[in-house]
Amino acid sequence: MNETMLYCLEVTFSKVILIFLYYTFINRFVKKSDIPYAKTRYIMYGMILLYNLINMGVIVENFKNGEENYLCAVNMGCIVLADLYLLYFVKMADEKNYYEKQLIALEQQAKVQYEYYLTQAKKYDQTIQILHDVNKHIKAIEGLYGAEQEKTAGEYATKIRELLKPLIPVQYTENPILNILLTDKESVMREKGISVTIKVDNVNLNFIEPIDITTIFGNLLDNAIEATEKLKGEKYICIKIGSYHKMIVVSIENNCNEVKWRNGFPVSNKGKNGGIGLLNVQSSIKKYDGDLTLKNDGNKFAAELFLNS
């Protein structure tokens, strides 16, 4: 084999290996990027490397057969240039896909916050309407008692109490945002015929930011409601919040139909953007060095999360 050709082959091989090492390993540690590498990126890298090795193998066979075609040397140069372009293209495509998912996640999170705002605005309007007529209600009740119609007055007061009940958040915890959210979700569950159990120990959740409270509990409870409301017969959701050593432990359990899994997550029926809510939950939990575990046992589904206080 011509020494010049052999030298070109050795240089090409070393450059190809160096380029792949850079894009696969070195680049991750040098730039310290938080963007995870998708499996498809590694698959594409492997396919490109395999193609290069086969291509160089063909060139070696040409050299062994005594063919001193200097176009082969040009071909080897093109291999290096093509690698630089293709690997950079795959890298940019993977990062673009990552940022698109992040954008969708942020949009979904904003949607949850907006829907929560609309709910509170509606409750505020209802409160204003009741307060506007509160004097009339009081006078009506006083009039009934004055006319010695205690039974009718009591029924009237009960109706007013029922009107006010959904507007007053239950004091589950010291966190007012979580109290409002749990009260709202409990009302939704009962409207859908879902039996609700909420058990909260004496825990302090004020270290969690309001946006994370809404993201974590809002998404997990919405998923539980969505899975449970489709059932026929008994429907239940059980929410437990407690502490273990210095950690906050949250468990949300519900009954459900068969659950299909993909990459450690239940498969959503919301289409392309399904499952984004759980990604948002994971992102919020990471702020508190927490962990989320999803379990499925027969017709029971449970989401358990741990947060470092």
Side-chain angles (χ1 to χ4, degrees):
M1 186 184 298
N2 186 292
E3 291 184 3
T4 302
M5 295 299 177
L6 180 60
Y7 175 76
C8 290
L9 184 62
E10 291 174 350
V11 170
T12 302
F13 181 77
S14 63
K15 296 299 181 186
V16 167
I17 297 300
L18 181 61
I19 291 170
F20 273 88
L21 286 175
Y22 174 78
Y23 275 97
T24 309
F25 301 106
I26 300 174
N27 189 47
R28 296 186 65 179
F29 297 103
V30 171
K31 293 189 176 182
K32 295 182 179 179
S33 175
D34 294 330
I35 302 176
Y37 278 33
K39 291 182 179 179
T40 51
R41 189 193 292 202
Y42 285 112
I43 293 172
M44 291 300 296
Y45 283 175
M47 292 175 62
I48 295 171
L49 178 60
L50 180 62
Y51 173 77
N52 287 334
L53 294 177
I54 293 173
N55 200 359
M56 285 188 286
V58 172
I59 295 173
V60 169
E61 288 300 319
N62 288 335
F63 287 162
K64 286 182 178 179
N65 294 332
E67 298 180 18
E68 297 185 0
N69 187 351
Y70 286 93
L71 288 177
C72 291
V74 175
N75 187 18
M76 287 187 287
C78 291
I79 289 174
V80 175
L81 294 175
D83 284 346
L84 288 170
Y85 173 78
L86 290 174
L87 295 178
Y88 181 76
F89 177 81
V90 172
K91 173 178 175 292
M92 295 305 296
D94 188 35
E95 292 182 359
K96 176 176 177 291
N97 184 54
Y98 171 80
Y99 284 120
E100 284 179 346
K101 287 183 178 179
Q102 290 295 102
L103 179 60
I104 292 172
L106 290 173
E107 289 176 345
Q108 193 272 349
Q109 190 176 44
K111 182 182 178 182
V112 170
Q113 297 294 328
Y114 179 67
E115 289 176 348
Y116 180 68
Y117 164 77
L118 291 179
T119 302
Q120 296 310 308
K122 183 179 179 181
K123 286 180 64 176
Y124 175 78
D125 291 339
Q126 291 175 340
T127 305
I128 294 298
Q129 291 174 7
I130 293 174
L131 290 176
H132 181 269
D133 297 328
V134 69
N135 287 331
K136 296 178 183 178
H137 293 312
I138 292 173
K139 288 180 180 179
I141 293 173
E142 289 175 344
L144 290 170
Y145 276 110
E148 297 183 353
Q149 297 185 32
E150 289 83 0
K151 182 178 180 182
T152 306
E155 292 174 351
Y156 195 113
T158 301
K159 289 180 180 180
I160 298 299
R161 193 178 298 112
E162 290 298 318
L163 284 173
L164 292 172
K165 186 177 179 180
L167 305 177
I168 303 173
V170 181
Q171 297 300 308
Y172 295 106
T173 71
E174 295 180 1
N175 190 297
I177 301 297
L178 182 56
N179 289 336
I180 293 171
L181 191 145
L182 288 176
T183 302
D184 289 344
K185 297 302 180 184
E186 181 183 10
S187 176
V188 172
M189 294 175 202
R190 296 198 185 281
E191 286 178 5
K192 295 180 180 292
I194 301 172
S195 174
V196 188
T197 302
I198 301 178
K199 297 180 181 179
V200 182
D201 294 339
N202 184 22
V203 294
N204 186 355
L205 299 173
N206 290 330
F207 68 94
I208 307 176
E209 295 180 11
I211 190 171
D212 293 322
I213 287 284
T214 309
T215 298
I216 294 171
F217 289 92
N219 278 300
L220 291 178
L221 290 175
D222 283 344
N223 287 348
I225 292 170
E226 182 185 353
T228 308
E229 66 179 338
K230 300 173 183 176
L231 297 174
K232 295 180 180 179
E234 181 188 6
K235 307 173 185 178
Y236 79 88
I237 293 177
C238 181
I239 305 164
K240 296 180 181 179
I241 303 175
S243 61
Y244 181 76
H245 294 298
K246 293 183 179 181
M247 299 190 73
I248 301 298
V249 183
V250 179
S251 172
I252 300 175
E253 182 183 297
N254 60 275
N255 55 341
C256 61
N257 290 317
E258 182 183 359
V259 179
K260 296 180 180 179
W261 295 82
R262 182 185 300 155
N263 299 325
F265 286 98
V267 177
S268 173
N269 59 2
K270 296 179 181 177
K272 181 181 178 182
N273 298 332
I276 295 296
L278 287 176
L279 294 177
N280 281 335
V281 171
Q282 278 194 325
S283 178
S284 293
I285 290 174
K286 285 181 181 178
K287 297 180 184 179
Y288 310 96
D289 296 325
D291 184 51
L292 173 66
T293 303
L294 304 174
K295 299 179 180 179
N296 175 223
D297 181 14
N299 64 342
K300 294 182 181 180
F301 185 89
E304 298 178 351
L305 61 95
F306 304 87
L307 301 171
N308 278 312
S309 57

